């Protein structure tokens, strides 16, 4: 009696499970009982239809023909914020279409990454767009762009990926980076994407059940959006949007679910397998656009991918992030500006078409500082002063010191920079300011960062480098590793590492700085937690004592510390931020740890030319003893040594000294006031 009951219950359960797992049939537009067809459509070779929408000027008169591929939960009717005036100005024919299963386009039960490219090619052929067209993919619509770049690159004239989605299981991503990026998303998104990848047959049930949230963003939940997105969505919700009610009318499975299964499934290719479709850069270009505050598309992964595909021009946009389903209804001026930039750069209307080697630059997420991407995926922020690079006679790179940044003062007037036609670049070293930290910081990495910065900014085969205080150890490293890239060097109050084997004992054994630095080095290396607590606790004075202590600064330096806003970088308030503390600690350890070379063993990098290496030292400097600096200059007679009689450690705050530094380095002038007669 029990057996039949068990069998019946089991059969009932299996029937329920089968029905729950099996998605309902789609409500195909134009079929009996299905939604009506209200938009123009083309018929594809497999019998399916694609619905489309046209904007701009007539395609017969257009100079540029652009196809737009929408994202997940959207359609051809989403409001792309491009004015009719701009479309006319740039002579654009704009074609948006409903991807398979969306809006009024027929579903494709065999949808795949490759089918996305085939649909677009057939759409272009049916509408007679010609042999080539441009393509823009937004969010999940980037899948179409990747597919076209792989399978029909010969049909593309240009392409842009706007906030492109990422598949966390692409083999090109380092496993740790992909795993950490996925964990930044809400747990419900993580589960949904994993199911789409590992168990696509279960996705319909998961998306249909009501016990656990799946993609709440599709239901209007704003928690997954950035602050800027939320403001835009709230403003746009007041204005009705035509056509958006048709997005999922044929069924969620044929639109949303298949999008997730294809996008996050196993691809037939890896994006890094794609070859540059425009090896002759004058033929076309491919662009990445990423929002700095995007909470749905991890910025780290798209940065990494753009680095692996150097032929893609990567752009980050300040305060703009992904607009997901039903949010692009009415768009504000900042969005219009973003998409205008996308169109102008895509079409080469901002002077980029004739600059195929334009460096990869970023607009910083919290300011307007330009940045570059290094080969390991880190970014370096920088700022420029003086005359434009293309009008300069001299290119000078300044390397800041300990606890400083690219915003450091280098007291030289704009008039002098224009007189000598100097292009000045200051950058944030790793972990400082707006540059990414480097947990593997070393002497070699500092020189590598400088060389990559020079290459990315196309500063030429050689540049002048000025190192300030602790920023001189990267400069020494450049002198050791890349002397062929240096036109000339100036060390300003360069610190001394007491671990250099060439320093004589009788010169340093009684120097209190040596014992203090050795003690600090041990604490920084072995007990960083204790050091952080000591520097940030309030019971006993610690870091603040260093800032105003006459034992470390002369009177002139103390005036600078007192009267220069923003210089006090060692305050407890700043050091409480662990990232600031960690960057300072790593910098200190590399600078005062054991080096792989001794500067006193370096040969003259310019044996056939006039001496082009300089040291500038303040006689009153209490941070770096003048006796040690004199010793270095004697050991390296090919260095020009300059001593400022009343100068301390903060020479860069003295306008007269800074002018003398530049004139001496660039013009070979040797001001007698700063050139003491020393017995060599």
């Amino acid at each position: 009696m029990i057996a039949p009951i068990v069998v019946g219950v089991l059969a009932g359960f299996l029937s329920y499970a089968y029905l729950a797992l099996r998605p309902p049939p789609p409500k195909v537009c134009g079929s009996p009982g299905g939604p009506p067809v209200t938009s123009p459509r083309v018929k594809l070779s497999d019998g399916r239809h694609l619905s489309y929408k046209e904007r701009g000027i007539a395609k017969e008169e257009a100079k540029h023909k652009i196809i737009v591929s929408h994202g997940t939960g959207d359609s051809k009717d989403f409001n792309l914020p491009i004015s009719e005036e701009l479309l006319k100005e740039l002579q654009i024919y704009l074609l948006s279409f409903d991807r398979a299963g969306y809006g009024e386009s027929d579903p494709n039960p065999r949808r795949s990454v490759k089918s996305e490219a085939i649909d677009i090619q057939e759409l272009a052929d049916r509408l007679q767009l010609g042999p080539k067209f441009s393509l823009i993919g937004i969010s999940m619509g980037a899948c179409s762009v990747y597919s076209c770049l792989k399978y029909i690159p010969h049909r593309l004239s240009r392409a842009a990926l706007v906030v492109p989605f990422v598949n966390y299981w692409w083999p090109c991503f380092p496993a740790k980076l992909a795993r950490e990026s996925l964990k930044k998303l809400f747990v419900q998104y993580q589960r949904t994407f994993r199911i789409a990848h590992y168990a696509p047959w279960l996705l319909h049930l998961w998306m249909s059940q009501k016990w656990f949230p799946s993609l709440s963003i599709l239901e209007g939940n704003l928690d997954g959006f950035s602050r800027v997105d939320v403001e835009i969505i709230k403003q746009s919700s007041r204005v009705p949007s035509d056509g958006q009610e048709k997005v999922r009318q044929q069924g969620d499975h044929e639109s949303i679910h298949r999008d997730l299964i294809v996008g996050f499934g196993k691809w037939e290719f890896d994006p890094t397998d794609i070859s540059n479709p425009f090896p002759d850069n004058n033929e076309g270009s491919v662009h990445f656009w990423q929002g700095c505050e995007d909470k749905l598309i991890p910025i780290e992964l798209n940065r990494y991918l753009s680095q692996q595909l150097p032929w893609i021009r990567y752009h980050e946009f300040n305060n703009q992030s992904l607009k997901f389903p039903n949010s692009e209804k009415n768009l504000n001026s900042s969005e219009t500006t973003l998409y205008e930039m996308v169109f102008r750069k895509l079409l080469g209307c901002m002077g980029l078409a004739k600059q195929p080697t334009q460096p990869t630059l970023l607009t910083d997420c919290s300011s307007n500082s330009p940045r570059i991407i290094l080969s390991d995926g880190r970014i370096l922020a920088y700022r420029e002063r003086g005359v434009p690079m293309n009008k300069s006679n001299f290119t000078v790179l300044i390397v800041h010191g300990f606890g400083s940044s690219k915003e450091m003062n280098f007291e030289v007037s704009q008039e002098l920079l224009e007189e000598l036609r100097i292009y000045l670049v200051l950058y944030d070293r790793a972990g400082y300011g707006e540059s990414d930290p480097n947990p593997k910081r070393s002497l070699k990495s500092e020189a590598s960062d400088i060389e990559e910065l020079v290459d990315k900014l196309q500063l030429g085969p050689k540049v002048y480098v000025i190192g300030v205080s602790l920023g001189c150890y990267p400069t020494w490293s450049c002198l050791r590793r890349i002397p062929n890239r240096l036109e000339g060097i100036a060390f300003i109050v360069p610190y001394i590492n007491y671990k250099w084997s060439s320093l004589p004992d009788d010169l340093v054994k009684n120097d209190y700085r040596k014992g203090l630095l050795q003690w600090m080095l041990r604490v920084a290396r072995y007990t960083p937690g204790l050091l952080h607590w000591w520097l940030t606790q309030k019971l006993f004075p610690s870091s603040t004592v260093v800032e105003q202590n006459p034992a470390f600064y002369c009177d002139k330096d103390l005036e600078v510390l007192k009267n220069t806003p923003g210089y006090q970088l060692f305050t407890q308030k700043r050091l409480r931020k662990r990232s600031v503390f960690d960057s300072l600690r790593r910098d200190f350890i590399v600078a005062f740890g054991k080096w792989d070379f001794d500067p006193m063993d370096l040969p003259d990098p310019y044996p056939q030319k006039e001496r082009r290496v300089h040291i500038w030292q303040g006689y009153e400097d209490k941070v770096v003893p003048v006796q040690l600096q004199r010793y270095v200059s004697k050991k390296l007679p090919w260095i020009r040594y300059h001593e400022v009689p009343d100068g301390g450690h903060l020479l860069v705050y003295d306008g007269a000294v800074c002018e003398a530094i530049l004139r001496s380095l660039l013009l070979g002038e040797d001001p007698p006031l700063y050139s003491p007669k020393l017995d060599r």
Side-chain angles (χ1 to χ4, degrees):
M1 210 43 204
I2 297 178
I5 296 176
V6 172
V7 171
V9 171
L10 182 60
F13 174 78
L14 292 176
S15 299
Y16 171 79
Y18 175 76
L19 293 175
L21 291 172
R22 184 181 181 183
K27 300 176 181 179
V28 181
C29 289
S31 65
V37 176
T38 61
S39 302
R41 304 199 300 179
V42 298
K43 189 173 183 178
L44 305 179
S45 57
D46 63 0
R48 290 182 298 114
H49 295 83
L50 284 187
S51 176
Y52 65 91
K53 178 180 179 181
E54 299 169 297
R55 285 185 62 191
I57 66 175
K59 59 176 178 281
E60 295 79 12
E61 303 173 2
K63 182 178 179 181
H64 304 288
K65 298 168 186 176
I66 303 177
I67 298 177
V68 180
S69 179
H70 64 79
T72 296
D74 226 321
S75 74
K76 69 179 184 304
D77 295 307
F78 84 99
N79 192 1
L80 186 67
I82 294 294
S83 66
E84 294 299 324
E85 291 75 16
L86 182 67
L87 295 177
K88 292 179 180 178
E89 174 194 339
L90 302 182
Q91 302 178 59
I92 295 174
Y93 165 77
L94 196 63
L95 176 67
S96 56
F97 72 103
D98 290 328
R99 294 194 290 111
Y102 280 102
E104 298 178 39
S105 288
D106 292 343
N108 183 1
R110 298 180 179 179
R111 178 136 69 110
S112 66
V113 176
K114 187 174 183 178
S115 71
E116 296 286 309
I118 295 173
D119 284 0
I120 289 175
Q121 181 173 235
E122 284 204 63
L123 176 66
D125 290 341
R126 296 290 187 272
L127 294 179
Q128 301 180 2
L129 298 190
K132 290 196 174 187
F133 51 86
S134 297
L135 180 62
I136 296 177
I138 301 172
S139 188
M140 186 64 82
C143 178
S144 302
V145 180
Y146 284 125
S147 181
C148 289
L149 287 171
K150 174 63 177 179
Y151 295 112
I152 57 168
H154 59 285
R155 299 299 304 273
L156 301 180
S157 56
R158 297 173 183 85
L161 302 95
V162 182
V163 291
F165 94 106
V166 291
N167 184 326
Y168 299 90
W169 294 272
W170 282 337
C172 62
F173 289 140
K176 183 179 179 182
L177 179 63
R179 186 168 57 252
E180 291 177 349
S181 298
L182 181 59
K183 287 182 178 179
K184 290 182 178 181
L185 304 180
F186 287 159
V187 173
Q188 58 178 278
Y189 302 151
Q190 296 179 40
R191 292 170 179 163
T192 301
F193 297 160
R194 287 192 175 101
I195 291 173
H197 179 76
Y198 293 111
W201 51 271
L202 189 60
L203 187 64
H204 169 68
L205 175 60
W206 170 253
M207 298 291 286
S208 304
Q209 54 80 33
K210 304 298 182 182
W211 296 299
F212 305 100
S214 52
L215 282 183
S216 58
I217 196 170
L218 294 173
E219 309 304 327
N221 191 311
L222 303 183
D223 291 342
F225 289 107
S226 72
R227 175 186 54 82
V228 176
D229 287 344
V230 170
E231 293 176 0
I232 293 174
I233 294 171
K234 289 181 178 179
Q235 292 174 6
S236 64
S237 62
R238 305 188 186 101
V239 182
S241 176
D242 296 332
Q244 288 298 92
E245 71 281 356
K246 303 176 184 178
V247 169
R248 298 150 68 176
Q249 64 180 352
Q250 298 183 89
D252 284 351
H253 183 74
E254 295 300 334
S255 53
I256 302 291
H257 301 178
R258 285 203 188 277
D259 236 6
L260 297 174
I261 291 171
V262 171
F264 294 105
K266 185 176 180 179
W267 283 35
E268 305 99 9
F269 65 92
D270 190 291
T272 55
D273 296 334
I274 300 174
S275 302
N276 184 0
F278 311 111
D280 180 354
N281 288 283
N282 290 320
E283 293 180 356
S285 57
V286 182
H287 297 256
F288 260 41
W289 291 84
Q290 174 69 37
C292 287
E293 298 182 12
D294 198 332
K295 288 187 175 182
L296 299 176
I297 308 296
I299 195 170
E300 297 84 1
L301 292 182
N302 273 332
R303 281 179 181 169
Y304 179 86
L305 193 57
S306 70
Q307 190 64 40
Q308 304 307 305
L309 300 170
W311 43 270
I312 289 183
R313 296 176 183 168
Y314 180 76
H315 316 273
E316 282 183 9
F317 200 73
N318 187 27
N319 291 331
Q320 296 294 321
S321 53
L322 175 65
K323 312 299 180 294
F324 213 62
N326 303 323
S327 64
E328 299 189 57
K329 300 177 180 178
N330 187 36
L331 299 139
N332 63 16
S333 59
S334 62
E335 290 175 287
T336 303
T337 301
L338 167 60
Y339 278 94
E340 180 172 334
M341 289 172 63
V342 171
F343 272 67
R344 289 188 180 276
K345 290 205 173 190
L346 174 67
L347 302 179
C349 299
M350 299 183 75
L352 293 180
K354 297 183 180 179
Q355 301 179 36
T357 55
Q358 179 78 6
T360 303
L361 303 180
L362 309 177
T363 300
D364 182 63
C365 301
S366 58
S367 73
N368 292 321
S369 299
R371 302 185 293 172
I372 63 161
I373 308 177
L374 301 175
S375 58
D376 61 2
R378 290 181 298 115
I379 59 172
L380 286 186
Y382 68 94
R383 73 181 179 102
E384 303 161 297
R385 288 187 60 191
V387 301
M389 181 173 57
N390 59 356
K391 297 181 180 179
S392 63
N393 289 334
F394 306 101
T395 298
V396 181
L397 182 68
I398 296 184
V399 187
H400 68 77
F402 188 64
S404 190
S405 74
K406 68 180 182 300
E407 309 301 332
M408 63 166 283
N409 283 15
F410 186 75
E411 291 293 342
V412 59
S413 66
Q414 181 65 23
E415 290 75 17
L416 180 67
L417 295 176
E418 292 177 357
E419 174 194 338
L420 301 184
R421 296 174 67 180
I422 299 172
Y423 170 68
L424 206 63
V425 179
L426 302 95
Y427 76 102
D428 288 329
R429 293 196 290 116
Y432 283 100
E434 298 161 333
S435 290
D436 287 343
N438 184 4
K440 299 180 180 179
R441 186 202 293 270
S442 66
L443 286 162
K444 184 177 181 179
S445 73
E446 292 289 310
S448 297
D449 285 359
I450 289 175
E451 185 173 27
E452 282 204 65
L453 178 65
V454 170
D455 289 339
K456 295 284 187 181
L457 296 183
Q458 301 175 13
L459 302 185
K462 293 188 176 185
V463 296
Y464 291 92
V465 175
I466 297 177
V468 181
S469 189
L470 205 76
C472 288
Y473 87 77
T475 313
W476 282 118
S477 185
C478 288
L479 196 57
R480 168 72 171 81
R481 290 178 167 82
I482 55 170
N484 59 309
R485 304 302 304 273
L486 308 176
E487 190 69 42
I489 305 166
F491 296 92
I492 303 178
V493 293
Y495 83 104
I496 301 293
N497 186 346
Y498 290 88
K499 288 184 176 291
W500 292 344
S501 59
S502 58
L503 294 178
D505 290 339
D506 60 344
L507 194 61
V508 298
K509 65 179 181 180
N510 295 323
D511 191 333
Y512 70 92
R513 301 170 189 82
K514 179 181 178 181
L516 178 62
L517 289 170
Q518 289 178 344
W519 175 82
M520 292 177 63
L521 185 63
R522 284 194 293 269
V523 173
R525 177 170 286 160
Y526 300 114
T527 58
L530 178 62
L531 179 61
H532 185 252
W533 170 82
W534 171 253
L535 292 174
T536 56
Q537 52 80 32
K538 297 181 179 181
L539 296 177
F540 306 100
S542 52
S543 60
T544 53
V545 175
V546 176
E547 289 184 349
Q548 304 293 333
N549 197 327
F552 296 96
Y553 295 104
C554 66
D555 292 342
K556 199 166 186 177
D557 288 344
L558 290 174
E559 281 299 311
V560 171
L561 291 172
K562 180 180 179 181
N563 299 321
T564 305
Y567 185 86
Q568 292 80 358
L569 297 177
F570 301 102
T571 59
Q572 290 180 329
K573 181 179 180 181
R574 292 191 63 121
L575 287 171
R576 285 192 190 100
K577 191 173 182 179
R578 190 61 188 237
S579 60
V580 173
F581 169 78
D582 286 340
S583 293
L584 293 172
R585 185 177 70 89
R586 291 192 190 104
D587 206 20
F588 184 84
I589 289 174
V590 174
F592 291 101
K594 186 176 180 180
W595 287 24
D596 59 355
F597 69 95
D598 189 319
M600 302 305 103
D601 297 331
L602 294 175
D604 184 356
Y606 311 107
Q608 306 299 325
K609 297 181 180 180
E610 184 181 3
R611 288 178 291 163
R612 296 188 177 183
V613 183
H614 301 252
I615 286 181
W616 289 80
Q617 175 66 30
Y619 180 78
E620 301 291 341
D621 192 340
K622 294 186 178 183
V623 177
V624 181
V626 68
Q627 295 82 2
L628 292 182
Q629 218 65 272
R630 287 178 175 177
Y631 174 82
V632 171
S633 70
K634 289 178 181 179
K635 290 286 288 184
L636 301 174
W638 42 269
I639 290 182
R640 288 185 179 184
Y641 179 68
H642 312 272
E643 203 170 277
V644 181
D646 62 343
H649 191 67
L650 305 179
L651 291 185
V652 292
Y653 288 82
D654 190 320
V657 173
C658 289
E659 179 174 345
I661 290 171
L662 288 178
R663 290 189 179 276
S664 179
L665 176 64
L666 306 179
L667 306 179
E669 296 180 3
D670 202 358
L673 178 62
Y674 307 132
S675 301
K677 305 298 182 181
L678 299 177
D679 181 15
R680 291 188 182 272

